[in-house]
Amino acid sequence: MRPFKVESLTQEEQKLIEENYGLIKHFLYQKNQKHLIPKDMYDMCYDYLIDGFLKAVKTYDASRAKFSTWAYKIMTSKFAQCHSKYARQPKITHLANAITEIGRAHV
C-alpha cells in the first residue's frame, strides 16, 4: 500500500479528525458484524482505513456531502483494496497467523 501523503493539516482538517475519528472503528465494527474481517486481517485493514480516513480529510468538500458519507465512500474503497490484498496472500500465512493466535490464547 502506498500511503496517502499528508502535509501539514489546517485547523479545519484537525477539527474533522478530532470530531470524526470514531468513524474508523465504527466502519470496522460494521464489517465485523457481517463477519467480513478475519482476525489476522484486522490490523492490515485498520492501516488501510486510516489512510482512507486521512485522504477523506484532505479532499473533503462540505458543499458536496456530509463528512461521514465522504469518508465512508473512501474507506469502503480502501477496505476493498485491503480485502483483495489479503485474499492474494499465500494461505500458509493465514495458517501461521492462526496458530500464533491460538498459542497466545493458551499462554
Side-chain angles (χ1 to χ4, degrees), residues 1-72:
M1 174 185 70
R2 187 177 55 211
F4 182 75
K5 295 199 181 229
V6 178
E7 298 82 32
S8 59
L9 297 170
T10 66
Q11 286 185 348
E12 183 180 310
E13 291 167 342
Q14 289 174 1
K15 186 177 178 183
L16 276 174
I17 290 172
E18 291 169 9
E19 292 175 350
N20 295 285
Y21 190 76
L23 289 174
I24 300 165
K25 290 196 179 218
H26 187 260
F27 185 95
L28 283 170
Y29 175 78
Q30 285 183 322
K31 296 298 181 189
N32 259 345
Q33 291 299 329
K34 296 176 182 173
H35 307 290
L36 296 176
I37 306 176
K39 289 184 182 195
D40 58 332
M41 182 180 153
Y42 189 91
D43 289 336
M44 183 170 68
C45 281
Y46 192 79
D47 291 342
Y48 274 78
L49 293 177
I50 290 285
D51 188 54
F53 180 79
L54 291 174
K55 182 177 180 179
V57 167
K58 293 301 280 182
T59 60
Y60 177 59
D61 178 1
S63 67
R64 295 182 67 196
K66 287 176 40 178
F67 179 75
S68 58
T69 303
W70 183 248
Y72 260 67

Side-chain angles (χ1 to χ4, degrees), residues 87-100:
R88 289 190 312 262
Q89 286 181 343
K91 298 306 178 205
I92 192 71
T93 303
H94 302 310
L95 180 60
N97 289 340
I99 291 170
T100 302

Side-chain angles (χ1 to χ4, degrees), residues 1 44 48 80-89:
M1 174 185 70
M44 183 170 68
Y48 274 78
Q81 290 174 11
C82 176
H83 199 275
S84 176
K85 182 175 181 178
Y86 177 82
R88 289 190 312 262
Q89 286 181 343

